[in-house]
C-alpha cells in the first residue's frame, strides 16, 4: 500500500489536538488547545474557517451537521456544521470531558469525563441521559457499538469496560492498562474503536499491541503487532470498510494493519517523531488525517486502492465482501502497471459488482493471466493470490487464510547517496542569516545586513592603506562577494524578472569609472565567484566558469565537469572544487582543478579527487598568502598542496584537536606559510562567528600528524617535514617568476639543516648508524662535513667513512651542476630557440628573468644550500668510489665531466643512424644526427641511461632559468 | 606609513587621573612632599607598560625599541603591545583595542560579589585594573562592549576595597598594633592610603609621646 505522507502543517497551539473528517469527506475538522475548531478544506488550506468553542477543546465529534465538542468549561456543546452556530449544551460534568463520540447513526453522543463518569445523551433531546458509573479514575475514551447495544470505555484506573447502555451495567471489564491518576499522566490515550458495520471486533490499544475482542463472547481473539512499534499506541481507528485498522503511537509511528491477515500493510513515521494523539479515516478510506501533541496536522494520502474498493460496498455481507475483495485486489495489484487496459477492467468490475459477480471474476482472471509478463509488482504476490482464491472457494470467510498481501515498499538497505553540498563562498557565513559575513579573507571583511530597516553591504579592509571602508546599499540583493586588493566582486541570483548579475567595484582603477556590471544570460545563475590578480571568475549554474578581466573585459570561459562547490583565486591561480560524482553514506565526491593564467596558461591539477575526512564536506578553500592551495573540511582538517610530491595534499593541522568542546569550531579565515600561521576565529558552540560582537582572530600552529610526536625524534621529524613542506612555495614562486625573499629562504634551509643535524646526533646517540647515513643523504655538503666531524669525534669511524663517501658524492654533484648548467642551457637555447613562437611579451619576460638571474647570480655558487634535496642518481656510486680510491679529485672531474645532451644522444643513436645510412662519413653522421636531434622534444632527447640524472639537471635548470 | 613616538611622555605631576582622590589629599598637599609619595599619574605611567591586544589596520615590520621589540604588525591580526602604544595608535585610528579578558561584565560581577562577601582582599584580575579600566574606557570605549557597565563595576570593586582598607587602617590604629599584613593590594590602592596613613601615624606618635 504505497502512500504519500504529506508534510505536517501547523494546526493549533501545542497540546492535545483532535481531528476528524466530515461525513462527505470534504473537510478536515480539528480542535486543539487554543479552544478553536478549525475547518480545513484541504491540507493546503491556509485560511481555515474556525469556530471558537472555549478556552480549550479536548475532544470533538462530527456527524449529520452537528459538531460536538468537549471544552474546558466542563460542558459538552453542540455547534452546527459547517456554519458554527452554537446549538446548545448537551451535558455537563463536574470537570472537563475527555472524549466525545457519536454512535453510528448520529442519534446519540457518549462522553467520558475526568469525574469518572460516562454519559450517553440523545442528541435530539438532551434531557434523556444515561449515566454509566463504575470507573474509579478519569475516563480516557469511549466508543459505541455500531449496533448501539453496547458502549466501551477505557479509564485511567487501568480497566477497559463494556457497558450495556440500556441497563447501564457493566458487561465485562478487563484490567489491561497501566494505572494513572489523570489523563495527562496516562501512558496512552487508549482510544478504543469498534469495528464499523457488524461491530464484530472491539480494538483496544494495549501498550505496543492492539487487542481485538470479539463482540458477544468478549474473547480476546487476536492481537495486532508490529516489530517497529516500541512505544505505546495512543489511538486506533478502523477504516470505513472495517477491514483495516490504523494506529498512531507515542513517538509518532503510524501503522495500518489488514485485520484479516493481521499483517502490517503500511508504516509511516511522523516527520518529527511527535506523539500522534488523534487520527481519522477519510470516508473513502484513501486518506488518514492525524494530529500530534504539538498541534500539527498531517495527512497520509493515496492509501491502497483496495480500501476504496472495500469501501464501495459497506452494505454488503461480510462473507461476500471478503470473497470478492480478494479478486478485486488481485486486479488492483495488476492495475499497478497502470495500463489503460487495466483501467477498463476496473470499470467493468464496478458495473458487475452486484449483477454478475461470477463473470466479473472470470474476466479478472483472464486479465490477470494476460498481464502476467508485464507484472512488476512481484510474482511472489501472484502465487499468494492464487492460493488465496482456492481457499476462498473452500469457503473460509471469517479469516481468509491467504489474503492478498499488499507488499511493503521495497526497503533498500545499501549505501545511501549523500545530498551534494551546496555551492558556497569560502570565508562566508550562511546566506539565511540576517547579519552575516559575506567574505572574510586576507584583504578585509565584507558584511551583509538584511533586516527590515536595511539591506546593505559593509566592506572593511584590514589594512586601511588599501582603501577606506565602504558602505553600499544592496538593492540588487547580492548574496556572494569576494574581495581583493583591487576590487570587490558581488553577485546576486536571478529573480523572476531580473537576470543574475555580477557587479565589480574596481576601486583600484585609475580612471573615474570604478564600477562595472554584467548580466549573465537568462537561466544562468552565479553560484560561486572569486577574484585573482587582474581577473575575476564566476562559476554558474550551467556548469561554466566565466573569466573577466578586473576592468570588465570578458575573457576565456570553460565548462566544469560538475556543479561547482567553491572557487578561490590567488595571483594567477584559480582553484575550483566541484562535484565529481555522487557520494555515498555521508561522503562527498569532490574534484579539484587548479589553473594558472600566467603567460603559459595551463592546468596544474586537472580534475583529481579532493581528499576529505570521512563523512565530512568542504568548509573552506583558499590559498595561503604565499599562493599554495589549501582547504579545510568540516572535520576541521586543514590540508595543503605539496607541490614537491606530485601535487598531493598533506594534512597540516586538525583544528578540532584544539577545540575545548565538541560543538566548538574554528572558522578559518587565512593561512600563512611564513610565518606558519593558521588564522581562524574560534566559535563557541557553532560553526560560524556572529557579526557582533566583532570576533577576534586567533592563530593556530600547524602540526603534521606524524607518529610519536611526543618523543624527541618524532618532534624533530615533524618539525623537519613541516619546514620542508612550508618552504615549497619558494621554489614554486621562483619558478613562476616571482621574486622571493632569499634571506628567508636561506634561513629556512638553515633551519632544516640544523634539524637534520640534531636528528643525526640523536641517532648517533641511539647507535643507529644506518639511520645516520639516511639522514646524511638529506643534508647538504657542508652539513655532511659537520656530521663527519661529529661522527669521528664520537669515534664512529665506520660511520665517518661512509659519510665521507656521501660528502664526496655531493661535492661531485655540485660541480657537475655548475658545469652542466651553462653548457646545457646553451644547447637548449640554441635548439629550442628557433621553433618557438616569439612574441613581445615573451621577450620581455625572458629578459626580465635573465636580469633577475644575473642580479642573484653570485649566490648559488656561494651557497650550495640552494640545491634542493633531490634523490641522487644511484648509478654513480661505484664511479665515485673508484675515483675516491685514486684520490685525485681533478681526474675524477675530468672523467666525470658530463657530455652535452646531444653527445649522449648521439652515442645511443649512432648505430641506428649508421644502419639507416651505412655509407656516411663521420662528419655526415653528426650532421644527420644534428638534424634528427633538433626534431626531438626535450624529453626524448635524453638518452635512457642518463635520463634520471639529466632530469635532475633539467629540474635544477628550470628552477633557475625559467 | 605609521610613525611611532619614540619617546614616551612622562607623567605630569599635576595630572590626576584617578578620581578616587585620597581622603587626606588636602592635608597631604599642605605638607612637603616626601620621597615615599607616589602620584596617581606615576602609577598610571607604570600601568601603561602592561600589554594589551590590538588589531592593527596597517602593516609594519618589527620596530626595535629600548623596552623591547614590537611587531611585526599585520593588518587584521591581533598583537600584544604596551598600553601606551595601543592608546597612541587608537587615537590615530590605526588600530582596534581588544579589551583584556577580565574586562567583561560577567567576570567583573563575579569578582565584585566575591569582594563584597570576603572580609579579606581578594586577588584582583590585574595589578593595574583600576588604571587600565580608566585608560581603556576613556580612549577606546567604542572597542569595549558594555563600557558603562564595566566602569560602574570596576568602581564598585574599587570602593569596596578602599572601604576595607580604611576599615583595616581604623582597626589597626584603634588596637594600637605594631604591624599589619595586607595581601592582594594594588599599587594604586597602597598609594591612595600610604601618604595619609603615614602622616597620621606620625602625628599620633607625636601626640602620644607628648602625653606620656
Amino acid at each position: 500500500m504505497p502512500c504519500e505522507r504529506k508534510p505536517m502543517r501547523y494546526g493549533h497551539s501545542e497540546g492535545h489536538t483532535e481531528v476528524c473528517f466530515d461525513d462527505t469527506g470534504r473537510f478536515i475538522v480539528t480542535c486543539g488547545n487554543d479552544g478553536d475548531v478549525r475547518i480545513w478544506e484541504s491540507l493546503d488550506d491556509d485560511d481555515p474557517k474556525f469556530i471558537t468553542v472555549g478556552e480549550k477543546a479536548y475532544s470533538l465529534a462530527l456527524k449529520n451537521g452537528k459538531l460536538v465538542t468537549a471544552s474546558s468549561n466542563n460542558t459538552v456543546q453542540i455547534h452546527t456544521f459547517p456554519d458554527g452556530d452554537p446549538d446548545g449544551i448537551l451535558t455537563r460534568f463536574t470537570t472537563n470531558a475527555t472524549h466525545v463520540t457519536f454512535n453510528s447513526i448520529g442519534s446519540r453522543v457518549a462522553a467520558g469525563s475526568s469525574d469518572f463518569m460516562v454519559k450517553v445523551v440523545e442528541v435530539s433531546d438532551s434531557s434523556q441521559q444515561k449515566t454509566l458509573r463504575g470507573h474509579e479514575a478519569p475516563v480516557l475514551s469511549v466508543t459505541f457499538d455500531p449496533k448501539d447495544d453496547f458502549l466501551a470505555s477505557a479509564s485511567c484506573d487501568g480497566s477497559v469496560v463494556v457497558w450495556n447502555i440500556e441497563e447501564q451495567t457493566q458487561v465485562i471489564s478487563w484490567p489491561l492498562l497501566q494505572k494513572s491518576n489523570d489523563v495527562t499522566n496516562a501512558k496512552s490515550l487508549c482510544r478504543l474503536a469498534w469495528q464499523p458495520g457488524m461491530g464484530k471486533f472491539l480494538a483496544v490499544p494495549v501498550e505496543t499491541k492492539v487487542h481485538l475482542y470479539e463482540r458477544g463472547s468478549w474473547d480476546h481473539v487476536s492481537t495486532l503487532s508490529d516489530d517497529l512499534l516500541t512505544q505505546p499506541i495512543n489511538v486506533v481507528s478502523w477504516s470505513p470498510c472495517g477491514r483495516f485498522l490504523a494506529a498512531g503511537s507515542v513517538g509518532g509511528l503510524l501503522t495500518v494493519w489488514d485485520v484479516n491477515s493481521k499483517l502490517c500493510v503500511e508504516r509511516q513515521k511522523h516527520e518529527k517523531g511527535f506523539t500522534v494523539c488523534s487520527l481519522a479515516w477519510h470516508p473513502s478510506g484513501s486518506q488518514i488525517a492525524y494530529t500530534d501533541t504539538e498541534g500539527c496536522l498531517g495527512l497520509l494520502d493515496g492509501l491502497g486502492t483496495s480500501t476504496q474498493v472495500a469501501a464501495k460496498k459497506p452494505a454488503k455481507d461480510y462473507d461476500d465482501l471478503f470473497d470478492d475483495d480478494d479478486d478485486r485486489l488481485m486486479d488492483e495489484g495488476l492495475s499497478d502497471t497502470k495500463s489503460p487496459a487495466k483501467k477498463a477492467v476496473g470499470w467493468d468490475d464496478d458495473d458487475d459488482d452486484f449483477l454478475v459477480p461470477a463473470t466479473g471474476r472470470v474476466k479478472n482472471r483472464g486479465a490477470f493471466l494476460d498481464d502476467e509478463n508485464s507484472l512488476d509488482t512481484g510474482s511472489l504476490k501472484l502465487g499468494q493470490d492464487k492460493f488465496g482464491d482456492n481457499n476462498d472457494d473452500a469457503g473460509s470467510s471469517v479469516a481468509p487464510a491467504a489474503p492478498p498481501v499488499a507488499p511493503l515498499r521495497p526497503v533498500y538497505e545499501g549505501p545511501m547517496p549523500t545530498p551534494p553540498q551546496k555551492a558556497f563562498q569560502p570565508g562566508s557565513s550562511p546566506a539565511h542569516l540576517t547579519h552575516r559575513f559575506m567574505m572574510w579573507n586576507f584583504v578585509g571583511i565584507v558584511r551583509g545586513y538584511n533586516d527590515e530597516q536595511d539591506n546593505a553591504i559593509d566592506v572593511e579592509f584590514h589594512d586601511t592603506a588599501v582603501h577606506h571602508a565602504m558602505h553600499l546599499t544592496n538593492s540588487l540583493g547580492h548574496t556572494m562577494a569576494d574581495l581583493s586588493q583591487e576590487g570587490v566582486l558581488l553577485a546576486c541570483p536571478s529573480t523572476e524578472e531580473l537576470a543574475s548579475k555580477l557587479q565589480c567595484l574596481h576601486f583600484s582603477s585609475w580612471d573615474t569609472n570604478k564600477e562595472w556590471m554584467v548580466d549573465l544570460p537568462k537561466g544562468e545563475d552565479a553560484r560561486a565567484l572569486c577574484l585573482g590578480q587582474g581577473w575575476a571568475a564566476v562559476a554558474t549554474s550551467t556548469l561554466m566558469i566565466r573569466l573577466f578581466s578586473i576592468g570588465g573585459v570578458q575573457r576565456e570561459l570553460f565548462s566544469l565537469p560538475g556543479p561547482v562547490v567553491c572557487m578561490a583565486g590567488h595571483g594567477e591561480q584559480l582553484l575550483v572544487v566541484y562535484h565529481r560524482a555522487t557520494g555515498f553514506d555521508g561522503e562527498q565526491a569532490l574534484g579539484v582543478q587548479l589553473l594558472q593564467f600566467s603567460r603559459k596558461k595551463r592546468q596544474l591539477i586537472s580534475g583529481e579527487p579532493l581528499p576529505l575526512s570521512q563523512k565530512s564536506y568542504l568548509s573552506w578553500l583558499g590559498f595561503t598568502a604565499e599562493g599554495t592551495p589549501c582547504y579545510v573540511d568540516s572535520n576541521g582538517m586543514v590540508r595543503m598542496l605539496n607541490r614537491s610530491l606530485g601535487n598531493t595534499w598533506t594534512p597540516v593541522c586538525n583544528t578540532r584537536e584544539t577545540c575545548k568542546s565538541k560543538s566548538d569550531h574554528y572558522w578559518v579565515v587565512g593561512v600563512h606559510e611564513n610565518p606558519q600561521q593558521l588564522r581562524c576565529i574560534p566559535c563557541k558552540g557553532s560553526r560560524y562567528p556572529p557579526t557582533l560582537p566583532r570576533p577576534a582572530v586567533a592563530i593556530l600552529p600547524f602540526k603534521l600528524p606524524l607518529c610519536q610526536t611526543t618523543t624527541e625524534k618524532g618532534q624533530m621529524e615533524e618539525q623537519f617535514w613541516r619546514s620542508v613542506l612550508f618552504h615549497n612555495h619558494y621554489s614554486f614562486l621562483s619558478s613562476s617568476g616571482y621574486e622571493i625573499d632569499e634571506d628567508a629562504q636561506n634561513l629556512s634551509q638553515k633551519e632544516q639543516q640544523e634539524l637534520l643535524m640534531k636528528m643525526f646526533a640523536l641517532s648517533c646517540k641511539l647507535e643507529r648508524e644506518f639511520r645516520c647515513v639516511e639522514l646524511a643523504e638529506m643534508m647538504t655538503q657542508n652539513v655532511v662535513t659537520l656530521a663527519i666531524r661529529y661522527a669521528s669525534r664520537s669515534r664512529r669511524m665506520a660511520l665517518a667513512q661512509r659519510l665521507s663517501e656521501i660528502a664526496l658524492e655531493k661535492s661531485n654533484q655540485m660541480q657537475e651542476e655548475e658545469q652542466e648548467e651553462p653548457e646545457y642551457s646553451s644547447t637548449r637555447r640554441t635548439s629550442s630557440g628557433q621553433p618557438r613562437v616569439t612574441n613581445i611579451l615573451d621577450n620581455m619576460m625572458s629578459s626580465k628573468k635573465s636580469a633577475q638571474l644575473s642580479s642573484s647570480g653570485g649566490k648559488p655558487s656561494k651557497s650550495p644550500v640552494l640545491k634542493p634535496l633531490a634523490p641522487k642518481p644511484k648509478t654513480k656510486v661505484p664511479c665515485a668510489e673508484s675515483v675516491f680510491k685514486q684520490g685525485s679529485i681533478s681526474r675524477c672531474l675530468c672523467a666525470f665531466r658530463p657530455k652535452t645532451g646531444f653527445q649522449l644522444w648521439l652515442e645511443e643513436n649512432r648505430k641506428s643512424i649508421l644502419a639507416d645510412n651505412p655509407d656516411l662519413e663521420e662528419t655526415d653522421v653528426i650532421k644527420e644526427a644534428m638534424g634528427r636531434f633538433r626534431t626531438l622534444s626535450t624529453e626524448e632527447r635524453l638518452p635512457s641511461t642518463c635520463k634520471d640524472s639529466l632530469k635532475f639537471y633539467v629540474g635544477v635548470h628550470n628552477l633557475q632559468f625559467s | 606609513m605609521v610613525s611611532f613616538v619614540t619617546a614616551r611622555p612622562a607623567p605630569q605631576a599635576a595630572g590626576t587621573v584617578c578620581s578616587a582622590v585620597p581622603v587626606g589629599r588636602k592635608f597631604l598637599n599642605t605638607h612637603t612632599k616626601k620621597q615615599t609619595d607616589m602620584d596617581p599619574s606615576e602609577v598610571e605611567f607604570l600601568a601603561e607598560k602592561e600589554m594589551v591586544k590590538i588589531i592593527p589596520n596597517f602593516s609594519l615590520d618589527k620596530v626595535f625599541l629600548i623596552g623591547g621589540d614590537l611587531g611585526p604588525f599585520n593588518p587584521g591580526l591581533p598583537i600584544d603591545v604596551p598600553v601606551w602604544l595601543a592608546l597612541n595608535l587608537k587615537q590615530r585610528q590605526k588600530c582596534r583595542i581588544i579589551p583584556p579578558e577580565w574586562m567583561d561584565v560577567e567576570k567583573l560581577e563575579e569578582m565584585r560579589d566575591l569582594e563584597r562577601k570576603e572580609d579579606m582582599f581578594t586577588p584582583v584580575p590585574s595589578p593595574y585594573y583600576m588604571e587600565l579600566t580608566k585608560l581603556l574606557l576613556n580612549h577606546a570605549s567604542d572597542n569595549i562592549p558594555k563600557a558603562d557597565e564595566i566602569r560602574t563595576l570596576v568602581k564598585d570593586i574599587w570602593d569596596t576595597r578602599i572601604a576595607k582598607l580604611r576599615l583595616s587602617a581604623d582597626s589597626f590604629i584603634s588596637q594600637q598594633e605594631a604591624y599589619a599584613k595586607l595581601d592582594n593590594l594594588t599599587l594604586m590602592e597602597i598609594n591612595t592610603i600610604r601618604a595619609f596613613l603615614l602622616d597620621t601615624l606620625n602625628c599620633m606618635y607625636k601626640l602620644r609621646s607628648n602625653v606620656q
Side-chain angles (χ1 to χ4, degrees), chain A residues 146-275:
Chain A
K147 291 183 181 169
D148 252 5
D149 297 336
F150 303 108
L151 181 134
S153 65
S155 162
C156 289
D157 62 11
S159 64
V160 174
V161 177
V162 179
W163 311 82
N164 185 317
I165 299 172
E166 286 311 311
E167 294 167 17
Q168 300 179 36
T169 53
Q170 288 191 8
V171 177
I172 192 162
S173 168
W174 298 287
L176 293 173
L177 313 174
Q178 277 199 4
K179 292 187 181 180
S180 60
N181 58 3
D182 189 45
V183 178
T184 51
N185 298 330
K187 280 257 163 63
S188 151
L189 289 175
C190 194
R191 292 281 195 248
L192 312 169
W194 219 301
Q195 191 175 24
M198 296 297 286
K200 193 172 169 62
F201 297 117
L202 170 67
V204 182
V206 180
E207 295 287 318
T208 61
K209 299 186 171 78
V210 179
H211 290 190
L212 293 183
Y213 291 90
E214 196 176 20
R215 186 173 190 271
S217 70
W218 309 118
D219 286 335
H220 176 193
V221 287
S222 56
T223 304
L224 303 175
S225 62
D226 186 36
D227 293 340
L228 291 186
L229 273 170
T230 52
Q231 284 181 292
I233 297 173
N234 237 352
V235 47
V236 293
S237 177
W238 289 89
S239 66
C241 64
R243 217 184 122 183
F244 297 97
L245 184 73
S249 77
V250 177
L253 208 63
L254 293 159
T255 317
V256 180
W257 286 279
D258 182 325
V259 178
N260 301 321
S261 63
K262 302 185 187 60
L263 286 176
C264 176
V265 292
E266 184 63 64
R267 293 187 192 105
Q268 285 290 338
K269 184 103 177 77
H270 184 291
E271 62 187 37
K272 290 199 182 107
F274 295 150
T275 297

Side-chain angles (χ1 to χ4, degrees), chain A residues 461-465 677 679 694-697 699, chain B residues 55-59 74-78 96 98:
Chain A
F461 296 87
H462 294 316
D463 192 341
T464 43
Q677 290 177 336
R679 297 185 182 181
R694 205 187 152 93
V697 178
I699 290 171
Chain B
I55 299 177
N57 60 13
F58 60 92
S59 169
N74 287 312
L77 202 64
R96 280 189 305 119
I98 300 177

Side-chain angles (χ1 to χ4, degrees), chain A residues 463-721:
Chain A
D463 192 341
T464 43
V466 176
H467 198 260
H468 56 79
M470 290 188 273
H471 181 86
L472 325 160
T473 51
N474 188 7
S475 51
L476 287 169
H478 290 302
T479 56
M480 281 163 268
D482 197 7
L483 183 63
S484 78
Q485 308 270 5
E486 299 170 310
V488 186
L489 189 65
L490 300 159
C492 58
S494 63
T495 59
E496 276 176 21
E497 303 97 52
L498 295 170
S500 180
K501 278 187 174 60
L502 191 67
Q503 187 180 11
C504 181
L505 309 175
H506 181 208
F507 53 73
S508 71
S509 160
W510 45 261
D511 67 6
T512 47
N513 265 329
K514 306 270 185 203
E515 194 181 329
W516 55 269
M517 207 183 296
V518 166
D519 278 12
L520 294 180
K522 209 166 186 306
E524 195 171 331
D525 257 327
R527 286 286 150 85
L529 44 83
C530 71
L531 278 169
Q533 199 177 354
W535 54 270
V538 54
T540 66
S541 54
T542 53
L543 309 189
M544 245 197 290
I545 289 185
R546 296 173 178 276
L547 292 179
F548 297 85
S549 76
I550 191 71
V553 179
Q554 298 202 45
R555 281 177 52 180
E556 298 90 337
L557 78 169
F558 59 95
S559 284
L560 267 185
V564 73
V565 176
C566 59
M567 295 203 292
H570 181 277
E572 289 160 333
Q573 300 176 85
L574 169 67
L575 186 64
V576 190
V577 171
Y578 57 89
H579 288 288
R580 168 168 63 82
T582 306
F584 283 91
D585 282 345
E587 313 276 358
Q588 299 283 344
L590 305 181
V592 61
Q593 288 191 350
L594 177 63
L595 295 104
Q596 197 160 16
F597 304 132
S598 53
R599 183 170 50 98
K600 232 165 71 188
K601 288 172 188 164
R602 58 195 173 136
Q603 198 167 19
L604 298 174
I605 302 178
S606 47
E608 273 151 45
L610 188 74
L612 290 175
S613 305
Q614 274 203 324
K615 295 192 192 298
S616 66
Y617 52 88
L618 190 65
S619 60
W620 187 83
L621 180 78
F623 287 89
T624 64
E626 288 77 12
T628 310
C630 203
Y631 68 91
V632 186
D633 62 32
S634 59
N635 280 10
M637 191 59 93
V638 186
R639 289 189 182 78
M640 207 165 91
L641 187 73
N642 190 350
R643 295 191 200 262
S644 66
L645 192 64
N647 286 346
T648 48
W649 299 92
T650 309
V652 290
C653 180
N654 185 355
T655 60
R656 294 310 301 275
E657 271 175 8
T658 33
C659 288
K660 279 182 196 122
S661 119
K662 219 180 167 188
S663 53
D664 290 358
H665 292 273
Y666 282 96
W667 194 65
V668 175
V669 293
V671 183
H672 287 243
E673 288 179 76
N674 186 29
Q676 294 177 16
Q677 290 177 336
L678 178 66
R679 297 185 182 181
C680 48
I681 296 168
C683 306
K684 260 197 181 154
S686 72
R687 281 193 180 272
Y688 305 99
T691 52
L692 282 173
R694 205 187 152 93
V697 178
I699 290 171
L700 289 184
F702 291 105
K703 191 184 175 199
L704 299 189
L706 253 59
C707 303
Q708 289 182 313
T709 44
T710 45
T711 63
E712 204 181 345
K713 172 173 166 283
Q715 268 170 20
M716 283 195 288
E717 283 162 350
E718 194 268 338
Q719 277 179 32
F720 174 71
W721 286 111

Side-chain angles (χ1 to χ4, degrees), chain A residues 320-501:
Chain A
D320 285 354
L321 185 92
F322 285 129
D323 213 337
D324 255 15
D325 219 54
D326 286 340
D327 283 340
R328 192 77 28 72
L329 271 157
M330 262 191 297
D331 192 31
E332 235 44 71
L334 290 166
S335 74
D336 277 0
T337 55
K338 284 175 184 157
S339 65
K342 282 279 83 59
K343 274 180 192 159
V345 171
W347 264 111
D348 273 359
D349 202 34
D350 274 359
D351 297 343
D352 292 347
D353 246 4
F354 292 92
L355 306 170
V356 272
T359 52
R361 203 157 157 172
V362 169
K363 207 194 276 171
N364 279 351
R365 280 231 179 103
F368 168 95
L369 288 171
D370 282 347
D371 248 330
E372 198 154 20
N373 293 333
S374 66
L375 257 185
D376 57 350
T377 43
S379 50
L380 198 144
K381 192 187 138 200
L382 219 80
Q384 278 183 344
D385 284 344
K386 273 182 184 162
F387 184 57
D389 264 6
N390 294 341
N391 258 11
D392 278 10
D393 293 343
S396 76
S397 54
V398 177
V405 181
L408 288 179
R409 249 179 300 170
V411 183
Y412 173 66
E413 280 171 351
M416 296 301 282
T418 321
Q421 77 173 108
K422 289 199 180 108
F424 69 99
Q425 287 293 103
S428 70
S429 41
H432 62 83
L433 301 173
T434 50
H435 290 205
R436 69 178 196 115
F437 290 109
M438 294 173 79
M439 177 55 65
W440 185 322
N441 62 12
F442 297 119
V443 182
I445 304 168
V446 183
R447 268 171 303 188
Y449 300 95
N450 185 13
D451 47 22
E452 291 92 25
Q453 313 148 8
D454 210 7
N455 191 353
I457 293 174
D458 266 346
V459 184
E460 196 184 304
F461 296 87
H462 294 316
D463 192 341
T464 43
V466 176
H467 198 260
H468 56 79
M470 290 188 273
H471 181 86
L472 325 160
T473 51
N474 188 7
S475 51
L476 287 169
H478 290 302
T479 56
M480 281 163 268
D482 197 7
L483 183 63
S484 78
Q485 308 270 5
E486 299 170 310
V488 186
L489 189 65
L490 300 159
C492 58
S494 63
T495 59
E496 276 176 21
E497 303 97 52
L498 295 170
S500 180
K501 278 187 174 60

